[in-house]
Amino acid sequence: MMNMQKMMKQAQDLQKNMKIAQAEIETTTFYGASAQDLVKVAFTGDRKMTQIDISPDLIDPEDSETLSDMIRQAVNAALVDIDKTTEQKLGKFTKGLPF
């Protein structure tokens, strides 16, 4: 019976720590940039874009494809960083669990 109470306490502690880690991730700002930093973006940990900076040198009405590519690179870089940080902070809680 004591082991069950101990397990329940550990599960509650785990859940509490996971919520704290998730809150930290959500309030962290993640940055991404394209090649040569021509496009820079910022996201919150819950994947909301908060900022996008585009170098004026990149804006060419004749070449919107390059601008699109640079935005895509910057956004994807930030999202990869969010995923990596989430795995680092939350993955430690799920390692060894039987699911």
Side-chain angles (χ1 to χ4, degrees), residues 4-47:
M4 183 58 107
Q5 288 176 339
K6 185 178 178 181
M7 285 176 50
M8 290 298 290
K9 174 71 171 128
Q10 288 175 336
Q12 289 171 343
D13 290 344
L14 177 68
Q15 185 177 25
K16 178 182 166 190
N17 290 334
M18 285 181 70
K19 284 183 180 183
I20 290 169
Q22 184 66 43
E24 287 175 7
I25 292 168
E26 288 176 1
T27 59
T28 300
T29 301
F30 295 86
Y31 300 94
S34 68
Q36 301 165 353
D37 291 337
L38 294 173
V39 175
K40 298 176 188 174
V41 296
F43 279 85
T44 58
D46 58 353
R47 300 176 176 269

Side-chain angles (χ1 to χ4, degrees), residues 5 8 11 15 21 24 27 35 40 52-53 55 62 68 73 75 78 81 89 92:
Q5 288 176 339
M8 290 298 290
Q15 185 177 25
E24 287 175 7
T27 59
K40 298 176 188 174
I52 183 166
D53 293 322
S55 169
E62 303 294 318
S68 294
Q73 284 177 12
V75 167
D81 194 24
K89 288 192 177 227
K92 64 185 174 189

